[in-house]
Structures are given as structure tokens and as C-alpha cells.
Amino acid sequence: MQSRVRRDGDAMKRKVRRVLFILSFILIPVVHFLVFYIYVNFDSLLLSFQTIKGGELTFCAFDNFKRVFDRIAQSGLEGIAGGPQDLGLAFRNTFITFGITVLLFPIGMLVSYFIYKKIVGYKVFRVLFYLPAIISPIVMAFFYSQILQDGTFMTDFILYLTGKPKGTVPLTNNELSNAMVLAQVVWLGIPNNMILWSGAFARIPDSIVESARMDGAGWVREMFQMILPLVWPTFVLLVITSIANCFGATGSVFLLTSGDYGTQTLSNWMYMQVQTASAAGRLDNALTLVSAMGVMISVIAITVALLVRKFLTSRIEEVQY
């Protein structure tokens, strides 16, 4: 009887130690998630329905959302006349950036496929494409800004193509700056999802590819009739995440230009509003405006992403292998 009680006690101690061991690993991530995701987003949701009067927050129903639509309606859509506060310009640049990322999506998939097929020099191409994806965005933005300084070969070449006078710095020129930011989006956009694509392609059994090759399937048929259905879950995931980020498409605007010279995007505009209000050290209705805008674009992005997911998952049945 005593031995049984002792065994039960030892089993209970082992169970408690196991639970404590697991908690020691998940406690910090859970606290981080609760504070910096759940709490922050819930507080932002509440703030979108409040306004600041007399230095205190008061409930204002949907007034902040009306302010968002009024600001968008009043924003100029031409040039940079509105400066960094021009919401119309921010929306336009955001959608242009998102459009570029959409166009680069199939290019990245095809590049990953040809690297998977081990074309001549595939190891060199793999390093060249992967390198920008694993280097810090701050480092890449610094490197990119340095090659566009006055007197560099790249700057002189751009000025020659555009007919701009010597001494013009592309990143600080109202006519060239936005194109330079978008050029970096193109440069860094191709390898953006290549690591995920490579992992998906690597899971495909070699026997399937060899069987297709023996049946005389060309690379087009192999890619779109065999490989794509096999990696369809990854395809759907990347499409959904890309669409969900349609309002957050911004590139390295903050690091390169801080939204000046006609390069403002929506996410950078929102960040600058929060930064300015926080630097003032007091409650500001700019925070309630940004909160309302964040809630609005989140609802739109989530709705569109769910509809796209429903459409894509109903087109092709997931293949098990």
C-alpha cells in the first residue's frame, strides 16, 4: 500500500515537473502575445470609437470612421501637393506597390521552380536570390540609398536615362523618388517567398517527377498540371497572406524617404501619425483617426482574404502524398 502511494506521489511530481518545464518555454511567448497582440489590438479597437475632448477620452460612436472617409475625400490625388499628409497619394502608392507584388508573385514561383529543376548555375542563382531575403531590411535600405547617392555609377546612369541634370539625387527628387522606391520593391519582391516555395517543392516525391518525365510531359505541363496541384496549400496560403497585406504594401518607404517626395504609403502615413502624436507626449485625436482607419482596412482585408480563400480552396482539391 505504501509503495503504491509512493509511486502515485512520484508520478504526480513528474507530472508537475513536466508541466512546469513546458510552462517555462511557453510563458514568455504567451505573455508577449497577450500584451502586444490581444491587448494592443483590443485597445486600438476601443480607441476607434472614442474621441478626445478636454484631454479625456469620450465615446463618439462612428464619428472617427466618418472622419476617415472625409479625409480620403478631401485628399488630392494629383502630384504631391498634399505632402506627406495626403491620404489620396498614400492610397495610390499603396495600391501600386501591392500591384507590383502581385505581378512578382508568379515570377517568384517560376524562379523557384527552375531552381528546383536544377538548371545550369542554379546554386549561384539560389544564393543571388536568397541573399536579399535573409539580410536585414535596414541593411538593404542603407545599401540601396548609398548606390543612389550623387556621383555614383547607378545615379549617373539613371540621370542619363531620364535626362535629369547632374547633381540630382534620385531619392530626393519629386519626379524620380517614387520610381526608385518601387524599383527596390521589384528588386526585393522576387525572392520574397522563394524560401517557402523551395520548401514546398522539396517535399514533392522524386518518383512523381520522374514518372511525368517518362510520360513525355514538358516543363509547362509538369508545372501547372502536376507540381502546382501538389503545392496548392502553399499557393493558397501565400495568396491569402499577400491579399491580406494589400493595405500594408509599403516597401522600404520609411527607411528610404520617410514618405517625402511623393512616396507616402498608407502604412507609413499611419506610422508617422502615431509617431508625431507620441512625440508630443499627450493624447491626440490623430491616434483615434489612425485606430479607426486600422479597424476599417482590417475588416476589408480580412473579408477579401476569406472570400479569396473560399474561391481558391473550391477550385482544386488538396492532393495528399
Side-chain angles (χ1 to χ4, degrees):
M1 185 68 179
Q2 291 180 351
S3 61
R4 181 178 179 182
V5 172
R6 189 181 302 110
R7 285 197 302 270
D8 291 342
D10 292 340
M12 181 62 67
K13 290 179 181 179
R14 286 195 298 270
K15 186 178 295 185
V16 171
R17 285 197 295 265
R18 184 172 181 272
V19 171
L20 291 176
F21 177 76
I22 295 174
L23 286 177
S24 66
F25 280 92
I26 68 173
L27 183 61
I28 294 178
V30 168
V31 172
H32 184 278
F33 175 77
L34 292 176
V35 173
F36 295 101
Y37 189 83
I38 299 298
Y39 170 74
V40 170
N41 283 282
F42 182 72
D43 186 63
S44 179
L45 177 63
L46 292 180
L47 196 61
S48 66
F49 295 98
Q50 296 175 310
T51 189
I52 301 171
K53 292 182 179 179
E56 295 183 356
L57 288 170
T58 58
F59 180 73
C60 67
F62 295 97
D63 290 351
N64 288 324
F65 296 93
K66 183 178 181 300
R67 287 173 58 207
V68 171
F69 285 107
D70 289 341
R71 290 291 295 273
I72 296 173
Q74 294 169 5
S75 296
L77 294 176
E78 299 297 330
I80 59 168
Q85 304 301 319
D86 191 339
L87 266 180
L89 180 65
F91 271 101
R92 186 186 67 180
N93 287 339
T94 299
F95 290 136
I96 291 175
T97 305
F98 174 68
I100 291 175
T101 58
V102 170
L103 293 176
L104 292 176
F105 180 84
I107 297 176
M109 182 180 68
L110 290 175
V111 171
S112 300
Y113 170 72
F114 285 117
I115 291 178
Y116 160 74
K117 295 296 292 181
K118 298 181 179 180
I119 60 173
V120 178
Y122 76 96
K123 291 184 178 179
V124 176
F125 289 118
R126 184 166 56 191
V127 172
L128 291 176
F129 281 114
Y130 283 3
L131 201 59
I134 61 179
I135 296 178
S136 169
I138 297 177
V139 175
M140 295 303 299
F142 175 78
F143 172 74
Y144 187 71
S145 63
Q146 290 303 305
I147 65 175
L148 292 178
Q149 292 296 317
D150 184 25
T152 63
F153 169 78
M154 184 61 68
T155 296
D156 292 340
F157 181 67
I158 293 172
L159 297 183
Y160 172 77
L161 292 178
T162 58
K164 299 296 180 183
K166 285 284 186 178
T168 302
V169 179
L171 281 176
T172 59
N173 182 272
N174 290 337
E175 298 179 10
L176 298 177
S177 185
N178 204 39
M180 296 300 100
V181 172
L182 295 176
Q184 197 211 28
V185 172
V186 174
W187 177 36
L188 301 180
I190 294 178
N192 191 32
N193 294 317
M194 285 185 61
I195 296 177
L196 293 176
W197 280 123
S198 298
F201 291 145
R203 293 178 55 246
I204 299 175
D206 294 335
S207 58
I208 296 179
V209 180
E210 292 173 359
S211 176
R213 189 180 300 113
M214 292 177 61
D215 290 338
W219 74 267
V220 176
R221 184 178 179 185
E222 177 185 306
M223 174 65 198
F224 293 100
Q225 292 188 359
M226 297 190 62
I227 301 296
L228 187 57
L230 290 172
V231 298
W232 190 249
T234 302
F235 178 86
V236 173
L237 173 65
L238 294 178
V239 169
I240 292 173
T241 53
S242 298
I243 292 177
N245 193 43
C246 60
F247 292 105
T250 185
S252 299
V253 169
F254 177 75
L255 297 173
L256 294 175
T257 64
S258 297
D260 296 331
Y261 313 108
T263 62
Q264 189 66 277
T265 58
L266 185 58
S267 58
N268 187 73
W269 180 87
M270 294 172 69
Y271 175 80
M272 297 300 291
Q273 296 296 307
V274 175
Q275 185 187 55
T276 303
S278 300
R282 64 177 186 277
L283 289 174
D284 194 308
N285 273 320
L287 297 177
T288 62
L289 177 69
V290 170
S291 297
M293 180 174 292
V295 171
M296 185 182 70
I297 63 178
S298 295
V299 170
I300 296 174
I302 291 173
T303 302
V304 174
L306 291 176
L307 291 175
V308 171
R309 179 181 181 278
K310 182 175 178 60
F311 173 79
L312 292 177
T313 53
S314 65
R315 296 297 94 184
I316 297 180
E317 184 178 352
E318 182 177 345
V319 178
Q320 301 293 334
Y321 59 94

